[in-house]
Amino acid sequence: MNTTLRSSLKSSVAGREASGRRQARLPAPVSRVGPCRPVATLAAPPPASSHAAAPAATASKLELSELTAVSPLDGRYGRLSAPLRNIFSEYGLIRFRILVECRWLQQLSRIPAVTEVPPFSAAANAVLDKLCTPEGCTPEIALRVKAIEKTTNHDVKAVEYVLKEQFRAHPELAAVLEFTHFACTSEDINNLSHALMLKEAVQGHVLPTMDKLISELGRLSRDFADVPMLSRTHGQTASPTTMGKEMAVFAYRLKRQRDQLAAVPYLGKMAGAVGNYNAHMSAYPEVDWQAVAEEFVPSLGLEFNPYVTQIEPHDYIAELYSAIIRFNNILIDFDRDVWGYISLGYFKQRTIAGEVGSSTMPHKVNPIDFENSEGNLGLANALMDHLINKLPISRWQRDLTDSTVLRNLGVGIGHALLAYAASLKGISKLQIDTARLAADLDNSWEVLAEPIQTVMRRYGVPEPYEKLKAFTRGQRVTQESMMTFVDGIDGLPQPAKEQLKKLTPANYIGNAAQQATSLPHHL
C-alpha cells in the first residue's frame, strides 16, 4: 500500500447484507482527510495482584504500522507483500466496487429501452472512466466510503452514496442518480469485484512469479544437465541420475500446474437478488436482461455464469486455489529436496556479508530461504484449502458465511508469493559442488549391481539377481571388488564383460542428460 494508504486507511469491520434494514441519514461530507487515529489496540495482561501498577496508557495503544501489524504479511514481510495492497486491501475492494458500479451505469446508458438514462456524452463517460482507475478512485474517496459506512453499517450501500456525491457535480450524472446501483443486489457488485481482484493478482503477480521459478529451474536443468549425481530412493543409494534432470522434473511439474491455473475462468453474474432478474424485469419487462448481463460481464474481462442464486457460487475460486495449492505442493517437494542436497554437500550456498547463520555457531550457512518458502507454502495452502472447502457451500439462495471469508482472498496468495520469492532467493545462492558429488558416486559402486544383473539376464546366466544380491547387500563394494566379480561371471561373453567393466557410477546415468537438455521442448 502506498504511504497515503498506509497512514490513512483504517481497519474496518466486514460489511453485512442489510436486507430490510432502514436507511439511515448520511453524515455531512468531509472536506479533507485527517490523520489516522490509533487503530491497533494490544490488550495488556491482567495485573498479578490488585497491588500491581497499571500499565501506562501509551503502552496499551500502538499506531498501526509495519512494526505493530498483527499479520506478518503487513508487518515483517510488508515490503514483499506491498504490491498486493492495491488489490486485496479494503481500499482495493472499494476501488473495484466503484469500478463495477460505474461500468454498470455506463451499460444502462447503452440500452435504448432505458430512456431515463440517455447515452452519456464523452465528458460524462470521462468522469466515470476516471473513477474506474486507481488515480481516480483515490484513498480520500475510500475514506469517505468508510465514513458513510459508520452510519449505513453496509459497505456496498456506502459506495453507492459516495458515488452519488461524486455525480452531483456533473449535470448528466446528477440527472440519473437513482440509476446508480440500479436493480443490483450487493453480491452483483461484490462477485464481480472479487473476480477482478483475483484476476489482477493472478495475472499480474502470481503467474509472472511462477514463470520466474520455472525459468530458474530450467536454467538449473541446463547448467547441471551433465553433472552426475547419486540417486536416493527410500533414502538409500540408487541408480545415478544428473542434477540437471532432477531439476527438469520439477520445472515440468510446476509448468503443468501453472498452465492449469492460467486456464481457470473468472466467472461473474449480474442477475439481481436471487439470480432471476426479478427487479430488472419489473421495471423494464421489454429488455432482455440476461442478454444485457451476458454482454456486461465479459466487458469487464470476466466469463458470464448463467446459473446463479444471489451469489455467484464461487466454484471457480475453488478451482483457482486448487491449482495454486498443487503448484505449491510441488514447490514444497522441491524445497525439501534442495534442502537435502545442501545437507549432503551437493550444493554450497553463496555467503552474504554480514549474514548470521546461528547465534552461537559461527560456521553455519543455513538453507533458510528454502525453509522460509516451505513454511509459507504450508500457511498459504492451509488458508486456501479453507476457502476451497467453504466458498462453494451456501445455504439456499445465500447465507453470509462467505462474507468474512472472502475478505481473506489475498492472504493465502500473499503467503504463496512470499514463498516463491524465498525459493528464488535460495536458488540464486546455490553453488554446485561437483567434487562432493563425484566422491559420493565413487563410494557407491554397489549401484552397478543393477546393470550387471540385467546384462546377465540377457545372456541367460542363471540367478543373476540372487548372485548380485549376495555379493552387494550389506557389503562394502569397491571398484576393484566389482571388477573381480564381473570377471568371474560364468557364461557371460568376454565382450559383455569388457563393456560392463567400462561402467562407473558416474557414467551410469542413462539418458538423464538428454532429458535435461530437451526440457525446453516440453515446456
Side-chain angles (χ1 to χ4, degrees):
M1 186 184 296
N2 58 35
T3 304
T4 306
L5 287 179
R6 187 163 49 244
S7 62
S8 302
L9 282 178
K10 300 178 181 179
S11 301
S12 68
V13 295
R16 295 184 291 274
E17 196 71 35
S19 176
R21 192 176 291 154
R22 186 167 55 190
Q23 182 174 320
R25 187 167 59 88
L26 301 182
V30 294
S31 59
R32 64 183 178 84
V33 179
C36 184
R37 295 177 181 176
V39 294
T41 301
L42 306 182
S49 70
S50 59
H51 302 291
T58 55
S60 63
K61 293 183 179 180
L62 294 173
E63 190 76 19
L64 179 63
S65 70
E66 291 186 0
L67 183 63
T68 63
V70 173
S71 168
L73 280 179
D74 292 313
R76 182 177 183 86
Y77 306 123
R79 177 180 58 84
L80 295 173
S81 66
L84 295 181
R85 292 176 181 170
N86 198 44
I87 302 171
F88 289 118
S89 64
E90 183 78 355
Y91 162 75
L93 179 57
I94 291 171
R95 176 170 70 88
F96 284 109
R97 283 169 167 165
I98 286 176
L99 181 154
V100 174
E101 294 277 14
C102 289
R103 294 303 187 209
W104 179 239
L105 188 58
Q106 289 175 313
Q107 180 75 23
L108 294 175
S109 77
R110 293 191 290 267
I111 303 174
V114 185
T115 56
E116 290 78 8
V117 187
F120 290 137
S121 67
N125 276 318
V127 171
L128 294 169
D129 288 344
K130 186 174 182 180
L131 283 168
C132 292
T133 66
E135 294 75 24
C137 181
T138 63
E140 288 75 17
I141 289 178
L143 281 171
R144 179 60 182 154
V145 171
K146 299 308 295 179
I148 290 178
E149 187 188 340
K150 290 180 179 178
T151 299
T152 63
N153 200 27
H154 195 292
D155 47 0
V156 176
K157 202 67 179 176
V159 169
E160 177 189 341
Y161 289 154
V162 167
L163 284 174
K164 287 180 176 179
E165 290 180 353
Q166 296 289 316
F167 294 164
R168 286 192 180 97
H170 306 276
E172 279 184 74
L173 300 177
V176 295
L177 282 186
E178 293 310 319
F179 283 85
T180 307
H181 200 71
F182 175 78
C184 293
T185 185
S186 296
E187 276 306 299
D188 285 330
I189 307 304
N190 285 336
N191 89 95
L192 297 173
S193 298
H194 292 139
L196 290 171
M197 293 165 76
L198 286 168
K199 185 175 182 180
E200 183 171 318
V202 170
Q203 295 189 351
H205 300 281
V206 177
L207 288 173
T209 312
M210 287 179 170
D211 288 339
K212 288 179 184 177
L213 275 167
I214 295 165
S215 176
E216 279 298 284
L217 289 178
R219 177 184 64 80
L220 295 181
S221 177
R222 181 178 64 253
D223 291 350
F224 306 144
D226 298 312
V227 178
M229 180 183 81
L230 186 67
S231 294
R232 281 177 165 79
T233 59
H234 311 283
Q236 308 302 307
T237 58
S239 301
T241 182
T242 71
M243 181 65 79
K245 186 263 179 174
E246 300 312 302
M247 297 298 105
V249 170
F250 285 111
Y252 180 74
R253 293 174 66 194
L254 290 172
K255 180 62 160 55
R256 287 188 67 250
Q257 301 311 319
R258 178 262 180 223
D259 289 347
Q260 290 183 45
L261 171 62
V264 174
Y266 299 81
L267 301 182
K269 55 89 73 172
M270 198 69 174
V274 293
N276 302 330
Y277 308 94
N278 307 47
H280 308 68
M281 294 173 68
S282 67
Y284 295 95
E286 68 275 24
V287 175
D288 184 346
W289 285 104
Q290 180 155 331
V292 171
E294 287 187 51
E295 176 185 329
F296 176 65
V297 173
S299 75
L300 299 176
L302 308 174
E303 186 171 312
F304 176 71
N305 186 342
Y307 291 99
V308 298
T309 58
Q310 185 170 106
I311 65 170
E312 196 289 319
H314 310 317
D315 297 334
Y316 83 89
I317 301 179
E319 295 165 11
L320 185 144
Y321 283 136
S322 179
I324 296 177
I325 285 177
R326 293 194 302 272
F327 184 98
N328 290 354
N329 282 335
I330 294 168
L331 191 59
I332 289 173
D333 198 18
F334 167 79
D335 288 336
R336 290 177 178 175
D337 275 12
V338 175
W339 187 96
Y341 294 145
I342 292 170
S343 179
L344 291 171
Y346 291 178
F347 284 121
K348 296 179 181 177
Q349 298 177 95
R350 180 172 51 84
T351 57
I352 298 176
E355 210 172 68
V356 174
S358 167
S359 62
T360 186
M361 293 175 280
H363 69 282
K364 294 187 73 178
V365 183
N366 295 329
I368 56 173
D369 298 308
F370 300 105
E371 294 170 337
N372 181 287
S373 175
E374 181 181 341
N376 274 293
L377 289 169
L379 275 171
N381 287 358
L383 291 161
M384 289 187 287
D385 185 65
H386 177 66
L387 272 69
I388 287 171
N389 289 294
K390 188 274 151 296
L391 289 179
I393 300 170
S394 185
R395 296 174 182 87
W396 295 341
Q397 283 66 54
R398 94 145 302 175
D399 65 45
L400 265 179
T401 55
D402 66 338
S403 179
T404 190
V405 174
L406 284 164
R407 291 182 179 274
N408 293 274
L409 283 180
V411 182
I413 288 177
H415 281 287
L417 287 174
L418 289 179
Y420 303 163
S423 286
L424 284 167
K425 183 179 178 182
I427 290 170
S428 73
K429 290 157 53 174
L430 292 177
Q431 297 175 319
I432 200 158
D433 188 340
T434 54
R436 180 69 184 87
L437 285 158
D440 214 16
L441 287 163
D442 198 45
N443 286 327
S444 304
W445 282 82
E446 67 274 10
V447 298
L448 297 185
E450 180 189 47
I452 293 171
Q453 64 97 8
T454 304
V455 172
M456 290 168 68
R457 289 175 186 274
R458 175 186 174 182
Y459 289 101
V461 178
E463 298 184 329
Y465 180 87
E466 288 73 19
K467 289 175 181 176
L468 267 298
K469 176 183 174 183
F471 171 61
T472 61
R473 198 174 192 193
Q475 306 296 318
R476 167 69 176 154
V477 180
T478 65
Q479 180 179 13
E480 181 181 3
S481 65
M482 185 62 81
M483 295 305 100
T484 300
F485 178 87
V486 171
D487 283 331
I489 300 174
D490 292 332
L492 193 65
Q494 191 61 35
K497 291 182 179 182
E498 295 303 321
Q499 194 67 31
L500 285 175
K501 289 167 71 174
K502 292 178 182 178
L503 284 178
T504 70
N507 65 25
Y508 179 53
I509 58 172
N511 74 337
Q514 293 92 322
Q515 287 191 49
T517 55
S518 65
L519 175 66
H521 300 294
H522 300 283
L523 293 182

